[in-house]
Amino acid sequence: MNTFLQKDLDELQLQGLRRSLKLLGSAQGREIILEGKRVLNFSSNDYLGLANDSRIKRAAQEAIENYGFGTGASRLICGNMDPHEKLEEELAQLKNTAGALVYSSGYMANTGIIPALLDRQSVVFCDRLNHASIIDGIILSRAKLMRYPHADMQALEEMLKQNHDVARKLIVTDTVFSMDGDRAPLKEIVDLARRYEAMVMVDEAHGFGVLGSHGAGLVEDLGLEQQVDIQMGTLSKAAGCFGAYVAGTKVLRDYLINKSRSFIYTTAMPPALAQAARASLQIIREGHQLRRRLQESGDYLRVQLKILGFDTMNSTTPIIPILIKDPQEALKMTKQLLEQGIFLQAIRPPTVPVGASRLRLTVTAEHTQDDLDQLLNTFKNL
């Protein structure tokens, strides 16, 4: 077995596509210790800088004292605790929905929600750049998969027309695309869904905490809370915690409790994580200045990088891709930046299409103006 495994690894090495783990020797933050070296971190999804926030840590510590750490069972047996239900109530309030349900991770949410809703007779319409967990959820559902070109509403409508007689149809999209940093044309998607009688599901993983007047995401930002059927998102990015959620009607919540295998057949989230997430929600709700600073820093970097001749694609969020195309060149630039005290991860196929390798720059509310200028000066001297 090791022979063919090593052969495949060697081939990945030749193509510049082999991956390896990097050891972080500090808490998450704007500055980290990576492989023993202190560097500025421009690769984290900790958009609001909450991963090491003292209020969130304190909430987790208090929960451990009151509830212990492990839950010992699934929530349907004896693992359902007060922090879980309170977190769900507060998520529903923030998302302006009737109910919410917490999952242990975003991957588990998407691979649990979609198969619960769809079957072999269903059709799902999926943006080509949606996250891998959405694709895996669709595969598990056995529904017919139709992938429309990224954000192409004309192509989506043609697909909907072709399948107008299918009883159960779902359009699913990221709200903020994790590798491109652009936003889904959600109003247009909702309009098409209403016209062709399809459900709409969004993945707010990179929009939650970042967009909307209260940080609830793109759905809130566009005022579409009552028109999007299924709002999924994660607590591990801007929220600085761990886990995921789905928000929608009370009927949807009850249905998933009964039908979603990744919820039913897994041990409940530790109560300390739920309490930490509750503390994070309070910060997100009131985090107007954090979001303003985040947007301003992202806009500043986009303008300056374009002046330097870099292609930041269609980014409008804290995720700023710097298109390099060649994977070996992207790796070379990551190495050069790291030598200058900047950690900026190269992203290569299969995470992005062949010929679209890039540096994925993420700015956070913690980054100072000096940090941004240091990054830009480093790019000038590459």
Side-chain angles (χ1 to χ4, degrees):
M1 179 182 75
N2 284 345
T3 301
F4 79 80
L5 295 180
Q6 190 61 55
K7 182 180 178 183
D8 285 356
L9 286 171
D10 292 343
E11 183 62 28
L12 289 173
Q13 186 73 36
L14 286 172
Q15 296 171 5
L17 301 179
R18 186 168 177 175
R19 290 159 170 76
S20 60
L21 297 173
K22 296 178 178 65
L23 183 61
L24 187 69
S26 64
Q28 191 63 243
R30 52 170 281 278
E31 195 174 60
I32 57 175
I33 298 173
L34 189 70
E35 301 287 353
K37 180 178 181 179
R38 187 171 293 277
V39 295
L40 276 177
N41 182 14
F42 283 96
S43 289
S44 173
N45 295 324
D46 183 26
Y47 301 120
L48 299 182
L50 300 183
N52 194 35
D53 188 278
S54 60
R55 293 163 290 183
I56 294 172
K57 291 191 290 186
R58 187 162 55 248
Q61 290 162 354
E62 290 172 359
I64 290 172
E65 290 302 316
N66 293 328
Y67 298 98
F69 190 78
T71 50
S74 72
R75 287 181 65 189
L76 282 168
I77 298 179
C78 63
N80 188 41
M81 296 184 179
D82 192 50
H84 299 126
E85 298 213 346
K86 285 184 176 175
L87 172 59
E88 288 167 346
E89 290 170 7
E90 290 164 14
L91 278 164
Q93 290 171 5
L94 180 61
K95 298 293 288 183
N96 194 21
T97 59
L101 187 68
V102 169
Y103 284 79
S104 293
S105 73
Y107 189 92
M108 290 179 72
N110 280 333
T111 56
I113 297 165
I114 297 171
L117 296 173
L118 305 178
D119 57 24
R120 292 178 187 272
Q121 284 71 52
S122 308
V123 179
V124 58
F125 307 90
C126 176
D127 190 292
R128 189 163 287 279
L129 295 188
N130 279 344
H131 191 266
S133 60
I134 293 175
I135 304 301
D136 289 354
I138 295 168
I139 292 169
L140 287 170
S141 76
R142 297 180 175 85
K144 180 180 178 183
L145 168 60
M146 301 197 74
R147 301 179 75 180
Y148 57 90
H150 179 49
D152 188 332
M153 295 298 96
Q154 184 175 348
L156 174 58
E157 183 167 15
E158 285 302 313
M159 292 177 183
L160 286 162
K161 283 180 181 177
Q162 294 166 17
N163 293 274
H164 67 92
D165 56 343
V166 175
R168 195 174 297 191
K169 301 186 285 289
L170 175 70
I171 305 170
V172 59
T173 183
D174 287 356
T175 57
V176 173
F177 291 89
S178 61
M179 293 298 128
D180 289 51
D182 58 339
R183 309 177 195 202
L186 196 54
K187 282 188 175 180
E188 292 86 345
I189 288 171
V190 164
D191 288 343
L192 287 173
R194 188 184 303 133
R195 201 178 313 160
Y196 293 96
E197 299 181 318
M199 300 178 288
V200 177
M201 175 178 171
V202 297
D203 182 334
E204 288 267 34
H206 296 273
F208 185 69
V210 172
L211 302 177
S213 58
H214 298 94
L218 184 63
V219 173
E220 181 198 27
D221 197 46
L222 298 176
L224 298 173
E225 294 95 329
Q226 306 311 312
Q227 298 175 64
V228 173
D229 303 283
I230 305 124
Q231 297 186 54
M232 171 270 171
T234 60
L235 301 166
S236 56
K237 297 177 177 64
C241 297
F242 192 76
Y245 64 85
V246 60
T249 64
K250 288 184 179 178
V251 173
L252 175 66
R253 181 181 188 273
D254 192 38
Y255 183 86
L256 293 173
I257 287 171
N258 284 274
K259 291 284 190 176
S260 180
R261 292 171 67 87
S262 63
F263 174 84
I264 296 167
Y265 299 111
T266 192
T267 300
M269 171 193 289
L273 298 185
Q275 284 293 82
R278 292 182 65 204
S280 178
L281 290 191
Q282 184 64 33
I283 300 168
I284 286 172
R285 238 183 247 111
E286 300 167 358
H288 314 294
Q289 291 185 350
L290 289 174
R291 281 185 286 280
R292 188 180 303 114
R293 184 158 72 246
L294 185 64
Q295 188 64 46
E296 289 173 354
S297 294
D299 291 343
Y300 173 74
L301 284 178
R302 268 183 290 274
V303 169
Q304 297 303 316
L305 285 165
K306 286 175 183 176
I307 290 172
L308 292 176
F310 292 102
D311 183 354
T312 59
M313 303 173 69
N314 295 313
S315 165
T316 60
T317 67
I319 301 166
I320 306 173
I322 301 172
L323 187 63
I324 306 300
K325 298 183 180 180
D326 178 70
Q328 299 281 15
E329 183 63 24
L331 283 174
K332 177 183 173 184
M333 290 182 71
T334 287
K335 183 179 179 183
Q336 290 174 328
L337 287 162
L338 196 58
E339 289 170 352
Q340 300 298 314
I342 304 285
F343 177 50
L344 188 46
Q345 184 66 44
I347 305 295
R348 299 155 288 156
T351 306
V352 293
V354 173
S357 291
R358 66 198 64 177
L359 302 181
R360 180 184 182 269
L361 191 163
T362 50
V363 66
T364 76
E366 276 197 316
H367 285 120
T368 66
Q369 186 63 44
D370 286 346
D371 294 338
L372 306 184
D373 290 335
Q374 182 179 336
L375 172 71
L376 292 167
N377 287 331
T378 305
F379 268 109
K380 286 179 185 176
N381 296 321
L382 284 182

